[in-house]
Amino acid sequence: MTDTLRPTETVDTSTDMDPGVAALLDRKSARVAAAGTYVPLTTEHVTGLLEGFFASERPGEKVGDVGRVGGGASKEQFAFTLTGDDGRTAKYILRMDPIQTASETDRRREFEALKSYHGVVPAPTAEWLDDEGRHFGQPAAIMGFLGGVTKPAMKSNAPNITGIGTAFAAELRGRLATQYLDCLARIHNADWRSADMPSFDVPDADDHQVARWQLNWWSRVWREDAVQIMPIAVLTERWLRQNVPTCNDPVLVHGDYRTGNFLFDETSGTVTAILDWEYAHLGDFHEDLAWMLQALYATHQDGETYVCGLYPKDEFIGEYERLSGRTVDRATLRWYEILCAWKCLAITLATSTKAARDGHNHQDIMLSWLGPVGYVFVTELCDMIEAETAA
């Protein structure tokens, strides 16, 4: 055990949680308890909502080309255009919360992160926010639209789920890998203290609080959403609590940094946008690296395993250190790998399964598919906890 991993104190810290996350989960619990079956929004209804919204926000501008955007197990997403009196047209994305999602997140935090980091890395612009759903009926945010694709057009046997099993030809991989990892380094190295992000709470009570807030977040999610008893979830939480790592230099953690959550131009090999900032929070940079290392996002090509289809693992860590100027602590990284696998277990075999079962989401088929995927993380956790306890 390294100096950065110390057993947690005997004082009960299981309720110490990011205040914003605690409030978010409180709102979710109240909403789910009072909800019936969720009825997906129609294009016609969304068009009406947008027209009403922009009648006051942009009088005289015309809403057009409203259409549902594929994917989005967490959010209902619609693309639309606004055309002004001068004939100029701009395209946007509307993201709204259903009753229950694959994972509950905060539209205001996502909006603030995008607004602050749009100039740090290529990212959508944050344009309008209705975080309480006063106009749209549910929390919503509108972002600028950016072009690009999430995966190559090349044929693949990978499932049609963004970010899972994505493979890149060697030439394209060579163009994208450093760009993408450099964006992560820039996010981590940017000065969040000077950013305008008032809804982000700072975990600075002690040097274990950064990790403890994440542990308690996903402990509560599992406790409230699990639909079956799973001993590995209990064993994992116990190990995590016994080995909480330290961190005294929090960064902005993207929270879902992986293949499928960035756009690129396939012809030029240029990264055009970093997407899905909904999990953004102040935390340990190891967490983003550990998320990218999850087995579900790995690609196996030509006898090599690539992290998110882009780097062999050792090269991935070394290149991140070079680009960021940071030193990766392997023990801390391992703790976050286990935390992230446990988080994925909660998302797939707890929240997604529960939302699909209860009819609380527009993507019940996809969420039902995610349930069995959770057993990938069960296997990973069994292997990792066995290895750690045997060491």
Side-chain angles (χ1 to χ4, degrees):
M1 186 173 291
T2 70
D3 290 340
T4 58
L5 286 177
R6 302 201 300 267
T8 305
E9 297 84 349
T10 56
V11 176
D12 180 15
T13 57
S14 61
T15 59
D16 180 25
M17 190 183 300
D18 181 331
V21 171
L24 178 73
L25 296 180
D26 287 344
R27 293 194 297 271
K28 168 196 167 185
S29 296
R31 184 175 69 249
V32 169
T37 300
Y38 182 68
V39 179
L41 299 171
T42 65
T43 300
E44 292 74 22
H45 181 62
V46 172
T47 300
L49 289 173
L50 288 167
E51 288 175 343
F53 181 76
F54 286 108
S56 58
E57 290 290 328
R58 291 279 189 88
E61 297 202 8
K62 182 180 179 181
V63 174
D65 300 323
V66 179
R68 183 179 289 277
V69 177
S74 293
K75 306 292 170 284
E76 288 219 64
Q77 300 184 132
F78 293 84
F80 68 95
T81 60
L82 278 179
T83 303
D85 293 336
D86 59 2
R88 295 183 179 180
T89 298
K91 192 171 183 178
Y92 300 94
I93 295 289
L94 167 68
R95 284 166 57 84
M96 292 185 288
D97 293 353
I99 296 172
Q100 189 171 4
T101 73
S103 181
E104 193 77 7
T105 54
D106 191 331
R107 298 287 66 67
R108 177 167 287 281
R109 282 195 177 182
E110 179 183 25
F111 191 85
E112 289 176 2
L114 277 173
K115 210 165 186 64
S116 297
Y117 283 73
H118 170 71
V120 175
V121 295
T125 55
E127 300 288 354
W128 294 276
L129 176 67
D130 182 14
D131 62 324
E132 296 181 359
R134 292 178 179 174
H135 178 83
F136 288 98
Q138 52 209 66
I142 296 173
M143 290 84 169
F145 179 88
L146 289 174
V149 297
T150 57
K151 60 183 180 180
M154 62 186 287
K155 292 183 179 180
S156 171
N157 292 324
N160 190 29
I161 304 294
T162 302
I164 298 178
T166 302
F168 300 94
E171 182 181 359
L172 181 58
R173 183 170 61 241
R175 292 183 180 183
L176 293 175
T178 299
Q179 289 182 71
Y180 188 50
L181 203 52
D182 182 60
C183 285
L184 182 62
R186 281 188 275 156
I187 291 170
H188 291 168
N189 286 343
D191 181 14
W192 57 265
R193 292 172 180 82
S194 64
D196 184 17
M197 301 192 299
S199 68
F200 283 73
D201 295 286
V202 183
D204 58 2
D206 59 71
D207 58 6
H208 288 92
Q209 193 173 50
V210 165
R212 192 166 62 241
W213 273 9
Q214 296 309 303
L215 173 53
N216 290 340
W217 178 354
W218 295 101
S219 173
R220 177 172 170 180
V221 169
W222 177 263
R223 186 172 66 249
E224 294 183 350
D225 291 348
V227 297
Q228 60 181 317
I229 296 173
M230 300 197 74
I232 187 58
V234 178
L235 290 172
T236 300
E237 181 176 355
R238 180 184 301 169
W239 183 89
L240 289 167
R241 291 197 183 281
Q242 290 172 344
N243 295 278
V244 179
T246 61
C247 175
N248 53 25
D249 181 25
V251 303
L252 183 81
V253 173
H254 179 278
D256 198 8
Y257 206 85
R258 59 176 176 84
T259 311
N261 280 348
F262 74 98
L263 297 176
F264 60 93
D265 180 271
E266 192 168 3
T267 301
S268 66
T270 301
V271 173
T272 58
I274 306 299
L275 305 176
D276 286 1
W277 295 66
E278 60 184 305
Y279 288 103
H281 60 273
L282 298 178
D284 191 319
F285 74 88
H286 290 88
E287 184 182 346
D288 272 333
L289 300 180
W291 188 252
M292 293 180 71
L293 286 168
Q294 293 303 297
L296 197 65
Y297 308 133
T299 300
H300 306 282
Q301 292 178 262
D302 304 322
E304 182 68 83
T305 298
Y306 290 92
V307 176
C308 288
L310 297 172
Y311 282 107
K313 181 176 180 179
D314 287 341
E315 183 182 339
F316 161 71
I317 293 173
E319 186 69 354
Y320 173 81
E321 290 182 325
R322 183 185 73 81
L323 293 167
S324 67
R326 298 175 180 272
T327 299
V328 174
D329 183 297
R330 295 300 183 110
T332 300
L333 181 62
R334 187 62 166 176
W335 190 90
Y336 277 102
E337 282 186 80
I338 293 172
L339 175 80
C340 287
W342 189 53
K343 170 181 172 179
C344 288
L345 182 71
I347 290 171
T348 55
L349 277 171
T351 309
S352 293
T353 301
K354 181 174 179 288
R357 181 198 68 185
D358 297 344
H360 286 170
N361 189 281
H362 61 297
Q363 294 265 36
D364 54 347
I365 295 176
M366 180 184 288
L367 295 185
S368 297
W369 181 87
L370 283 174
V373 169
Y375 289 98
V376 171
F377 302 106
V378 170
T379 302
E380 288 292 304
L381 287 169
C382 286
D383 290 344
M384 289 191 287
I385 294 301
E386 183 178 15
E388 292 300 319
T389 54

